[in-house]
């Protein structure tokens, strides 16, 4: 309720509309109730804030920090809500943010549930309304979980939204649309072969295709569509909610892939190749996703193991140690662009003709065994850390830890989990590479070398080469030595 003294009450009207259909309370209705209350009590509303399509369970993306900042700066001293459920549906977080408002010198009023929160009874009543809001949210969440679990058991996605490459009917579910299925498969094949997502999106648009919402495709929107794995006959899930909305749509956030009830359009092998490439791109600089040079991202200074950069100049330019150029912290190495290109080409041609053995031997068998054990160990570590984070959350929500300790410990676990996830990805990649048919890649690359674009050449080289090391020469002239570290392990190979 408004203050009983003569202090001027200056308010901000706060409106929240949830993503849940049951909570789609009109913003106009909420604003009308705020205006009515303000007029009755002589309160001046100087600004309005609306959080549309945002859940009350989490404060992270909402405007509450902005509201608190305005109180501290003296722009308003009161927050008007329609009901307490608009403030939040998480009792613990709701109380924490109410405390922030009060510590800043402000107050929050729910205009249709107006209690005098300066009294113990008023605070108790307010907390009861927040607790009820949380209970309702939990019940809605449980209903959705049950519905989703049922659909998963039936091999169905969460919704019956349109899916590219398929038609849908209530009686028959999703059926392959032969007209678009071949095109969808080609998009996966072209991306795995090295074409950038943006180019695929442009080609779709030029052919008259649009998103299910009628908008032109972009590299991002097309990537999200292909990432869902539906074309591979899969239904994806997350064992845990994403830490942030910005990362929640990444393919790496989905760790459960179930067989769906619908027919697959692409093979498991094509899907695995696509997924591996997308996961790799998450950790690749954007400039390397469409390579300008056929060796981009593969050339390293042997002294400091820093990536080298290609600079323009005579006779095709030069590869130089970036650390040497930027800070002089490395004595560095440099090599002519054409010399390095010719050395790598000669190595490829030699292997394509069977000049060096890359067949499975005792060492590669041992590597395969070690790779399998590494994947299992990394998977156990990821599971252990996820369980540890869940136990910490349970302790916090039960009141067994304060917010500061919880955030500090959670940050430590998150850092460990990020490292463990990275190690798992690397272990899986290593396990797959053991069985790669390198001879076929060498032959393909040798056949296409003169006709392929730099980006296409780099895509194939990256399947063969972990890195190219340039070792600074001694004496005069200081002629550098070139080594290749192959993907299949073993010692690096001198190629020039």
């Amino acid at each position: 309720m408004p203050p009983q003294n003569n202090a001027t009450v200056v308010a901000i009207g706060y409106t929240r509309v949830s993503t849940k259909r049951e909570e789609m309370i009109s913003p106009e209705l909420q604003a009308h109730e705020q205006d009515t209350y303000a007029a009755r009590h002589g309160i001046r509303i100087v600004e309005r804030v609306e959080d549309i399509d945002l859940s009350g369970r989490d404060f992270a993306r909402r405007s509450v920090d902005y509201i608190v900042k305005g109180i501290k700066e003296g722009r308003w001293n009161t927050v008007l809500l329609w009901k307490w459920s608009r403030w939040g549906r998480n009792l613990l977080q709701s109380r924490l943010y109410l405390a922030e408002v009060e510590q800043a010198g402000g107050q929050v009023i729910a205009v249709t549930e107006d209690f005098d929160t300066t009294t113990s009874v008023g605070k108790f009543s307010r907390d009861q309304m927040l607790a009820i809001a949380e209970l309702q949210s939990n019940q809605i969440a449980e209903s959705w979980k049950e519905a989703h679990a049922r659909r998963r058991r039936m091999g169905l996605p969460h919704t019956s939204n349109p899916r590219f490459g398929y038609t849908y009917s209530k009686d028959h579910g999703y059926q392959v649309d032969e007209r678009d299925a071949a095109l969808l498969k080609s998009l996966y094949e072209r991306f795995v072969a090295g074409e950038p997502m943006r180019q695929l999106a442009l080609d779709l648009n030029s052919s008259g295709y649009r998103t299910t919402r009628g908008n032109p495709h972009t590299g991002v929107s097309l990537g999200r569509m292909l990432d869902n794995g539906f074309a591979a006959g899969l239904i994806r899930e997350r064992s845990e909610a994403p830490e942030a909305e910005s990362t929640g749509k990444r393919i790496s956030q989905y760790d459960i892939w179930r067989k769906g009830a619908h027919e697959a359009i692409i093979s498991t092998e094509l899907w695995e190749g696509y997924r591996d490439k997308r996961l790799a791109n998450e950790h690749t600089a954007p400039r390397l996703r469409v390579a300008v040079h056929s060796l981009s991202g593969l050339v390293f200074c042997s002294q400091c193991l820093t990536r080298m950069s290609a600079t323009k100049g005579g006779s095709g330019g030069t590869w130089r140690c970036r650390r040497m150029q930027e800070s002089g912290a490395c004595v560095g190495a440099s090599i002519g662009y054409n010399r390095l290109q010719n050395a790598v080409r000669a190595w490829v041609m030699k292997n394509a003709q069977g000049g060096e053995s890359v067949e499975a031997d005792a060492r590669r068998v041992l590597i395969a065994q070690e790779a399998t054990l590494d994947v299992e160990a990394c998977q156990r570590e990821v599971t252990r850390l996820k369980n540890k984070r869940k136990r910490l959350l349970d302790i916090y929500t039960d009141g067994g830890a304060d917010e500061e300790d919880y955030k500090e410990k959670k940050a430590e676990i998150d850092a460990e989990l990020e490292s463990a996830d990275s190690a798992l990805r690397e272990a899986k990649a290593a396990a797959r590479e053991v069985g790669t048919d390198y001879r076929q890649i060498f032959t393909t690359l040798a056949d296409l070398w003169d006709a392929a674009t730099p980006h296409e050449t780099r895509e194939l080289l990256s399947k063969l080469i972990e890195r190219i090391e340039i070792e600074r020469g001694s004496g005069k002239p200081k002629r550098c030595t070139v080594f290749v570290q192959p993907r299949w392990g073993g010692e690096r190979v001198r190629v020039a």
Side-chain angles (χ1 to χ4, degrees):
M1 63 181 298
Q4 299 302 312
N5 55 30
N6 294 325
T8 301
V9 181
V10 180
I12 181 170
Y14 176 65
T15 297
R16 182 182 65 79
V17 178
S18 173
T19 54
K20 303 298 183 187
R21 188 170 299 277
E22 290 85 349
E23 293 186 0
M24 294 296 282
I25 307 301
S26 163
E28 291 77 15
L29 171 62
Q30 297 184 44
H32 171 72
E33 294 291 346
Q34 293 165 10
D35 288 339
T36 301
Y37 182 91
R40 187 165 65 246
H41 293 278
I43 298 174
R44 181 162 56 96
I45 298 178
V46 295
E47 189 171 334
R48 295 189 186 279
V49 172
E50 293 184 351
D51 281 338
I52 306 299
D53 290 336
L54 292 178
S55 170
R57 297 176 68 87
D58 188 7
F59 282 74
R61 297 175 57 219
R62 290 164 52 198
S63 305
V64 180
D65 288 331
Y66 171 76
I67 290 171
V68 174
K69 185 172 182 286
I71 294 173
K72 291 178 179 178
E73 294 175 352
R75 286 180 283 158
W76 46 76
N77 53 31
T78 300
V79 185
L80 295 183
L81 315 169
W82 174 57
K83 291 182 181 294
W84 283 110
S85 63
R86 300 305 90 197
W87 185 249
R89 289 187 177 275
N90 178 315
L91 178 59
L92 180 60
Q93 288 196 32
S94 294
R95 292 180 64 176
L96 288 172
Y97 279 93
L98 283 171
E100 282 199 24
V101 170
E102 292 168 359
Q103 288 169 7
Q107 63 173 345
V108 179
I109 299 173
V111 298
T112 60
E113 296 170 342
D114 187 18
F115 309 116
D116 183 1
T117 56
T118 62
T119 68
S120 57
V121 173
K123 286 182 180 179
F124 174 79
S125 300
R126 177 199 66 190
D127 291 349
Q128 286 295 102
M129 300 308 296
L130 290 170
I132 291 172
E134 182 178 60
L135 173 62
Q136 292 171 338
S137 178
N138 291 339
Q139 289 174 329
I140 292 171
E142 288 172 1
S143 296
W144 279 109
K145 285 180 181 179
E146 290 171 2
H148 290 165
R150 178 176 176 274
R151 291 184 67 86
R152 286 196 297 269
R153 289 194 298 270
M154 298 172 65
L156 301 174
H158 288 176
T159 69
S160 300
N161 291 339
R163 306 273 176 168
F164 186 62
Y166 293 84
T167 59
Y168 177 80
S169 69
K170 202 167 186 179
D171 294 332
H172 301 98
Y174 288 98
Q175 301 290 318
V176 174
D177 182 349
E178 298 298 339
R179 183 177 67 90
D180 291 338
L183 175 58
L184 179 59
K185 182 181 178 183
S186 73
L187 293 174
Y188 282 98
E189 291 172 338
R190 290 169 62 187
F191 181 79
V192 171
E195 291 192 51
M197 195 68 75
R198 181 174 177 274
Q199 184 59 52
L200 300 181
L202 291 174
D203 289 350
L204 269 183
N205 293 335
S206 65
S207 299
Y209 285 89
R210 292 294 183 266
T211 67
T212 54
R213 295 185 177 182
N215 299 319
H217 287 280
T218 66
V220 173
S221 67
L222 179 59
R224 287 177 178 172
M225 182 189 79
L226 300 181
D227 285 353
N228 64 31
F230 199 80
L234 302 174
I235 304 296
R236 64 181 181 178
E237 293 179 56
R238 286 186 289 241
S239 58
E240 291 187 356
E243 292 297 316
E245 181 67 21
S246 59
T247 63
K249 293 183 174 66
R250 292 179 181 176
I251 195 169
S252 60
Q253 290 291 324
Y254 294 88
D255 54 348
I256 300 174
W257 301 84
R258 301 181 187 274
K259 181 71 177 72
H262 60 287
E263 181 183 350
I265 291 175
I266 65 173
S267 67
T268 301
E269 292 73 23
L270 179 56
W271 165 249
E272 289 293 339
Y274 171 85
R275 186 167 177 267
D276 291 345
K277 190 171 177 60
R278 288 288 280 174
L279 288 172
N281 278 356
E282 287 189 10
H283 303 277
T284 302
R287 61 185 173 80
L288 297 181
R289 294 176 191 170
V290 183
V292 176
H293 305 290
S294 58
L295 304 180
S296 293
L298 297 175
V299 187
F300 289 75
C301 171
S302 181
Q303 277 68 32
C304 63
L305 289 183
T306 298
R307 277 196 177 92
M308 300 175 71
S309 57
T311 58
K312 294 181 179 179
S315 302
T318 306
W319 286 94
R320 300 183 186 277
C321 172
R322 184 179 289 113
R323 193 174 179 191
M324 175 185 68
Q325 294 181 89
E326 293 175 352
S327 65
C330 176
V331 293
S334 62
I335 187 170
Y337 186 92
N338 289 339
R339 181 183 171 224
L340 180 58
Q341 193 82 356
N342 291 335
V344 174
R345 183 182 185 278
W347 178 74
V348 168
M349 298 302 172
K350 183 178 180 181
N351 277 278
Q353 296 167 8
E356 291 185 9
S357 175
V358 294
E359 300 298 329
D361 54 17
R363 174 174 173 76
R364 292 190 66 200
V365 171
L366 178 61
I367 291 173
Q369 294 172 343
E370 292 175 345
T372 301
L373 292 175
D374 283 347
V375 170
E376 294 173 354
C378 290
Q379 186 63 69
R380 287 196 298 271
E381 179 65 5
V382 168
T383 301
R384 184 187 72 83
L385 289 169
K386 286 183 176 180
N387 291 335
K388 185 177 180 181
R389 186 169 64 180
K390 186 177 183 302
R391 288 195 300 271
L392 176 65
L393 179 61
D394 290 340
I395 293 171
Y396 174 57
T397 54
D398 289 341
D402 61 34
E403 184 182 16
E404 185 176 345
D405 289 342
Y406 165 73
K407 287 183 176 179
E408 181 179 348
K409 190 63 179 176
K410 181 176 179 297
E412 293 177 6
I413 297 174
D414 285 345
E416 292 179 26
L417 185 57
E418 183 178 353
S419 176
D421 277 331
S422 177
L424 177 60
R425 286 192 297 270
E426 292 175 3
K428 286 182 176 179
R432 286 190 296 271
E433 285 172 2
V434 169
T436 300
D437 184 358
Y438 293 105
R439 181 79 66 200
Q440 182 62 44
I441 299 174
F442 274 119
T443 303
T444 302
L445 185 54
D447 291 341
L448 298 177
W449 187 279
D450 294 328
T453 66
H455 180 73
E456 291 168 340
T457 302
R458 185 195 174 280
E459 285 295 307
L460 289 171
L461 283 173
S462 66
K463 297 179 185 298
L464 300 169
I465 298 173
E466 182 177 329
R467 65 180 178 275
I468 302 167
E469 295 183 16
I470 310 301
E471 190 171 284
R472 187 172 185 267
S474 57
K476 293 184 179 180
K478 292 184 173 61
R479 189 170 178 81
C480 290
T481 307
V482 181
F483 295 91
V484 167
Q485 179 61 60
R487 283 278 180 194
W488 57 87
E491 295 182 357
R492 63 182 187 172
V493 180
R494 179 172 177 172
V495 298

